[in-house]
Amino acid sequence: MITSLGGPPAARSADTAGRGTTAELTRLLFGEDREEVHGRWRRLGTDPRFRPRHDASAAEQTEDSYRRLHLLNEGVDATALARDPYGLTALHEWTGPLDGALTVLMGIHYNLFLGSLVDHDPHPKRTLDEYAAMDRVGTFLCTELGHGNDAAALETVARYDPDDRTFTLHTPSAAAQKFMPNTGPAGGPKSAVVAARLLVGGADHGIFLFLVPLGDEAGPRPGVIVRPLPLRPGSPVDHCLTSFDELVLPQEALLGGDHGRLADDGTFHSALGSRRKRFLTSIGRVTLGKLCMSASALGVSRAALATAVRYGHHRQVAGARPGVRTPVWSHRSHHGPLVEALATTYAMNALHRTAVDRWAGHDRTDPADVADAQRLVAVTKGWTTWQARAVLTECRERCGAQGLLPVNGIVTATIDIEGTITAEGDNLALWAKAGAELLLAPDVDPAPDAAPAPHTAPARGVVPAPAGQGPGWEAGRGADSAAPSRRLGEPGFLQSLLRAAEDQYFARARTRMRTAPPGDSLRRWNAAVPFALTAVTVRAERLAGAALLDLAQQAADPAAAALLHDLHRLFALRRISAHTGPLLAAGRLDGGEVAALPDLVEQSIARLADHAGRLVDAFDLPEELLAARPIATPDYQQAFDDPDAHWHRAPVG
């Protein structure tokens, strides 16, 4: 029996217990304050004005996205939203499945632009009213054509003249053009915060942000040069190359703070001696931007899975006997990858919530705590966006040719997700930095998973039910299947295996760095980085598993707890399977346990397959959003029917 196929709300989870289980899963996914944090943004999915026009041109779609941005801003306290990491990330979760371009535009306006203004010193000549009201749309210009991940080497300069108390903003070379900001004419008048090198006399004080009005309805102002970039695939945004030719700015254009202030006479004061630290402080909003990318990836993954799972139940294929048709979902080859994607997405959701909580609650006066929170955010962003790419690709494939149609809401998201992987710091660069930090200064988790003791003898027998699961949790295991060690049925043991694998990869990276030829730091790093990156991967998996397990332990409904434990078990077993070699060599697993892993994964998939409907119902997607995706509805074929076709005619004779 398939539990809860979605469909009209009245048809969902018909039994009271089922409704209670779905509601409990939703509560755990979104928190006790779900309505306060998510409710307003979720309801955007019920508004037909936020549905894309798939037959519109790229330019028309871009204008539509800006109109939706203005519409979204109505009644919003924009400066309060910019200060609220929970509200801002939640907004990205719900707009991601609606309009990828809108998600880009609002992230830039509310977080990178307006957020940078509210984070820096206020100035009486620099009010926020026109930006909060969106009379001017904000954008963010940091990356240059020749400088992406090495943004600390930016070339754009802002020269201060103490005589008239102005800055002159200038692009000195082709490589210094600002790359890909949304500075085109769409959307109306725009202003930007621009990252530029502060020069006073002969001194370079590092990179700071400057508020720059770019133009108005008539076009760019003199000294601002905007050239459109070639159209990229996916949701269209007015990406451009932008440069400055001796553009004069008033003194209040500089966004200052403790990291740097400039007196009228050009005297510079900073609490930070490092120009790199001043730059990182100036662009501090990028950290919250990483969480916005994670949130967007999470939102599109949930929507794609809900669509693919529903379609799997609606799509009928020929059965084993003539004249019998069966849902394609009944085939293990079809539902297995989607069940695993469900486990991954639940883990993504749990890790994302953990990272948002950590960033919102970190101690801004403690540099070590800031660095630890930033690292968790970077690891989370990298893992969730990469996992979302895999989830979306699987959903697209399982929906076949229908998955290639933008109207079904998946294929465009598979392209848009690439932007989240690159934006706010390229994933690989972020993980290389996190790997180096953990490699050179190994952290100690506040509550580390206990390392599993080396295995000395196989412990055969019946696997005990994981916490929160009742009798019969092993149902479906073949009678001829070898009984795995009972340890593989213990959530804590599975988590400890991930911790052991993480430690092993970091240890190997340290050994390779230590034994590499001296005198060449890049060569030493290159020797260590493959294993450091693998260690960061396992770390992300371990933290995601721990966050998912924590949800299971919080569940008040036994059935919800059992489903979450099953999801955790599948998630952890699949990840552990990739590291059996090192774990076996170190004696953390025995041969029987390694041999049992594939069967245990299959058992977990079988247990969850019939509950996929309920698991996607818990995502709480508006029925209006799903109804706009033909394959998410039982009568999807009618969306492609021709009412005037000959098959609708009455038979002749």
Side-chain angles (χ1 to χ4, degrees), residues 15-241:
D15 59 286
T16 303
R19 287 197 299 271
T21 297
T22 304
E24 177 65 356
L25 290 170
T26 301
R27 181 188 71 82
L28 292 165
L29 285 170
F30 296 101
E32 298 287 354
D33 52 359
R34 174 169 61 99
E35 177 57 31
E36 177 185 349
V37 175
H38 293 269
R40 178 175 188 171
W41 312 133
R42 177 189 176 277
R43 285 188 287 276
L44 295 175
T46 69
D47 190 335
R49 295 173 295 178
F50 283 85
R51 286 190 204 127
R53 294 188 297 151
H54 299 292
D55 58 347
S57 68
E60 290 170 336
Q61 290 182 57
T62 300
E63 289 287 1
D64 285 349
S65 295
Y66 275 105
R67 277 193 290 270
R68 293 184 191 112
L69 178 64
H70 285 273
L71 185 64
L72 185 153
N73 194 63
E74 292 178 3
V76 169
D77 184 338
T79 55
L81 179 61
R83 293 185 173 99
D84 179 10
Y86 292 103
L88 200 53
T89 53
L91 174 58
H92 282 72
E93 288 184 44
W94 295 101
T95 59
L98 298 175
D99 181 346
L102 168 64
T103 307
V104 170
L105 300 176
M106 71 182 195
I108 294 171
H109 178 83
Y110 289 121
N111 180 53
L112 296 177
F113 175 79
L114 192 55
S116 294
L117 293 178
V118 301
D119 284 353
H120 286 78
D121 287 347
H123 193 285
K125 294 183 179 180
R126 193 175 66 227
T127 65
L128 305 181
D129 294 347
E130 61 181 339
Y131 312 122
M134 215 169 277
D135 296 329
R136 299 186 70 85
V137 173
T139 186
F140 186 79
L141 280 63
C142 183
T143 300
E144 295 178 352
L145 182 62
H147 304 285
N149 290 324
D150 66 335
L154 295 178
E155 297 180 40
T156 301
V157 297
R159 300 186 301 270
Y160 182 66
D161 183 347
D163 294 332
D164 57 11
R165 300 178 185 176
T166 61
F167 298 96
T168 300
L169 187 66
H170 188 65
T171 303
S173 69
Q177 296 174 91
K178 296 300 183 180
F179 185 68
M180 284 193 81
N182 57 311
T183 50
K190 293 177 183 174
S191 291
V193 287
V194 179
R197 196 169 294 280
L198 173 60
L199 304 180
V200 182
D204 176 355
H205 295 296
I207 297 165
F208 289 82
L209 297 181
F210 295 81
L211 177 61
V212 182
L214 297 176
D216 53 28
E217 291 86 349
R221 61 188 287 199
V224 179
I225 302 95
V226 177
R227 296 186 297 131
L229 283 166
L231 184 67
R232 65 166 178 81
S235 302
V237 175
D238 55 328
H239 292 300
C240 298
L241 285 165

Side-chain angles (χ1 to χ4, degrees), residues 575-622:
R575 269 65 188 179
I576 290 165
S577 297
H579 311 296
T580 52
L583 292 170
L584 182 63
R588 302 300 185 183
L589 288 171
D590 69 28
E593 291 169 328
V594 172
L597 280 170
D599 285 334
L600 292 174
V601 168
E602 289 302 313
Q603 292 166 28
S604 296
I605 291 172
R607 285 181 54 77
L608 287 162
D610 285 350
H611 299 281
R614 176 171 294 160
L615 290 168
V616 297
D617 281 355
F619 293 156
D620 201 28
L621 290 161

Side-chain angles (χ1 to χ4, degrees), residues 178-356:
K178 296 300 183 180
F179 185 68
M180 284 193 81
N182 57 311
T183 50
K190 293 177 183 174
S191 291
V193 287
V194 179
R197 196 169 294 280
L198 173 60
L199 304 180
V200 182
D204 176 355
H205 295 296
I207 297 165
F208 289 82
L209 297 181
F210 295 81
L211 177 61
V212 182
L214 297 176
D216 53 28
E217 291 86 349
R221 61 188 287 199
V224 179
I225 302 95
V226 177
R227 296 186 297 131
L229 283 166
L231 184 67
R232 65 166 178 81
S235 302
V237 175
D238 55 328
H239 292 300
C240 298
L241 285 165
T242 306
S243 56
F244 306 97
D245 183 9
E246 302 292 332
L247 178 66
V248 177
L249 301 173
Q251 186 180 30
E252 63 269 18
L254 173 64
L255 305 189
D258 290 344
H259 62 296
R261 295 186 178 93
L262 200 63
D264 292 349
D265 64 359
T267 303
F268 179 76
H269 303 276
S270 176
L272 301 175
S274 163
R275 285 186 294 185
R276 177 175 176 78
K277 289 183 178 179
R278 294 172 197 160
F279 167 61
L280 294 176
T281 301
S282 293
I283 63 166
R285 270 286 159 158
V286 168
T287 300
L288 183 51
K290 293 179 177 67
L291 289 173
C292 291
M293 296 301 99
S294 173
S296 176
L298 180 59
V300 296
S301 296
R302 292 195 305 248
L305 268 170
T307 304
V309 168
R310 284 183 168 206
Y311 185 54
H313 292 107
H314 301 151
R315 178 71 170 180
Q316 300 282 316
V317 295
R321 297 191 305 274
V324 175
R325 295 181 68 78
T326 184
V328 68
W329 183 265
S330 63
H331 290 269
R332 162 63 179 83
S333 56
H334 186 94
H335 69 243
L338 291 175
V339 169
E340 293 205 50
L342 273 169
T344 298
T345 301
Y346 268 75
M348 288 164 57
N349 200 105
L351 179 60
H352 173 76
R353 301 276 180 254
T354 299
V356 174

